[in-house]
Amino acid sequence: MAPLIRLLVLSFTLSLLTPSVAFAESSDYLEEDPYSDPQGKKKEETRNPPPQQPAEGAKAQSSRTKPGNRKFFTDDSPRTDAGVFHVGFAFGGNFYFEPEYDQTTTPPVPNGNFYKDFGFQAGVYFDHDYSELDENIPLMLRGMVGYKYVLATTHVFSFDGMVRRMFRFSEKASFGVGVGASAAMWYRALTATSTEQIIFLPTVLIGAGFEFDPFMVDLKWSINRLGGDDTITGVELYFGFRL
């Protein structure tokens, strides 16, 4: 009889405890979200981290940082608008003639005769030679600053400029013809047959010459004044060398 009573008490006790355990398990089950994925959320946070705001010191430092050196394109190809530049020195002789004047008339007038005389000259040449370029442009710009002694009594200080058409035979030999002009100051000293004069006389130049590098020969016809018995003209021949 006693074992039966003990069995009934034990059964009753178990019946009271079983619902509470089941309820506890069911409550734990309901507290968990079956659709939640804690591992996936962590992966997403790792893949897309929140943006980090730079510190104030870093901002100030980046604003003070100077930009890098800028690079610009520079054309190192040789200029074709200047030609090959040469400086030359030359000297030579000249032959000029001018009209003689009848001093008995007022004002003096040409009497039909001409006074002729030899002289000399020297000068410094400045050449821009385009014919020496790879493009072989047949052109030269020539300038000269020089001194001339003409007609036995006259000192001439001139600046000549000429444009020449070039014909190149080889790398070091060429021939050119050209035209130009000269601005000159003529000073005539006082002599028994002439009075002291200072005049500015423009001149037309027609020239030709050879260049045998480094030597040069230059011939000029200088036309100071044309007009029958009132003509002043001369021929100049230069020998020199170019640097």
Side-chain angles (χ1 to χ4, degrees):
M1 190 65 182
L4 182 60
I5 294 173
R6 291 177 181 175
L7 182 61
L8 292 174
V9 173
L10 181 59
S11 300
F12 180 74
T13 303
L14 292 172
S15 64
L16 293 176
L17 293 175
T18 299
S20 62
V21 173
F23 178 77
E25 291 178 354
S26 62
S27 63
D28 293 341
Y29 177 79
L30 293 174
E31 288 177 359
E32 297 179 359
D33 186 4
Y35 300 102
S36 65
D37 187 3
Q39 296 297 331
K41 186 174 182 181
K42 291 180 179 179
K43 290 180 181 179
E44 184 177 357
E45 292 177 356
T46 303
R47 188 180 301 110
N48 301 318
Q52 297 181 358
Q53 298 295 331
E56 295 182 359
K59 286 183 178 180
Q61 184 177 2
S62 63
S63 63
R64 291 193 301 267
T65 302
K66 295 182 179 180
N69 295 331
R70 301 178 63 185
K71 295 183 179 179
F72 299 92
F73 173 75
T74 56
D75 188 6
D76 297 331
S77 60
R79 292 178 57 187
T80 58
D81 58 341
V84 179
F85 180 71
H86 295 281
V87 177
F89 302 91
F91 61 92
N94 60 63
F95 177 76
Y96 272 78
F97 63 89
E98 67 174 353
E100 294 182 359
Y101 291 87
D102 185 359
Q103 301 296 332
T104 61
T105 62
T106 305
V109 295
N111 59 14
N113 298 322
F114 288 88
Y115 176 73
K116 309 174 184 67
D117 197 6
F118 290 93
F120 62 89
Q121 72 273 332
V124 181
Y125 280 79
F126 305 94
D127 293 343
H128 285 282
D129 195 347
Y130 294 84
S131 66
E132 295 186 26
L133 299 175
D134 295 336
E135 292 82 0
N136 191 22
I137 303 172
L139 176 68
M140 177 193 288
L141 302 179
R142 166 164 287 181
M144 191 201 75
V145 178
Y147 164 78
K148 308 171 188 178
Y149 183 73
V150 301
L151 298 171
T153 59
T154 307
H155 306 272
V156 181
F157 303 92
S158 67
F159 173 77
D160 301 347
M162 185 174 290
V163 179
R164 305 181 73 189
R165 171 66 164 87
M166 302 302 297
F167 302 89
R168 183 159 292 277
F169 307 124
S170 66
E171 185 178 352
K172 294 187 176 182
S174 62
F175 171 76
V177 294
V179 296
S182 174
M185 182 187 73
W186 290 51
Y187 168 70
R188 175 166 291 171
L190 178 62
T191 64
T193 60
S194 64
T195 60
E196 186 178 18
Q197 291 180 325
I198 297 178
I199 59 174
F200 293 92
L201 191 61
T203 305
V204 175
L205 299 175
I206 300 175
F210 291 91
E211 282 77 33
F212 302 98
D213 195 22
F215 302 104
M216 56 174 288
V217 179
D218 196 20
L219 178 66
K220 297 178 185 178
W221 178 24
S222 176
I223 306 172
N224 302 98
R225 190 167 61 206
L226 288 177
D229 293 339
D230 202 22
T231 298
I232 301 176
T233 186
V235 178
E236 303 170 5
L237 180 62
Y238 292 84
F239 299 93
F241 60 93
R242 300 195 307 178
L243 302 179

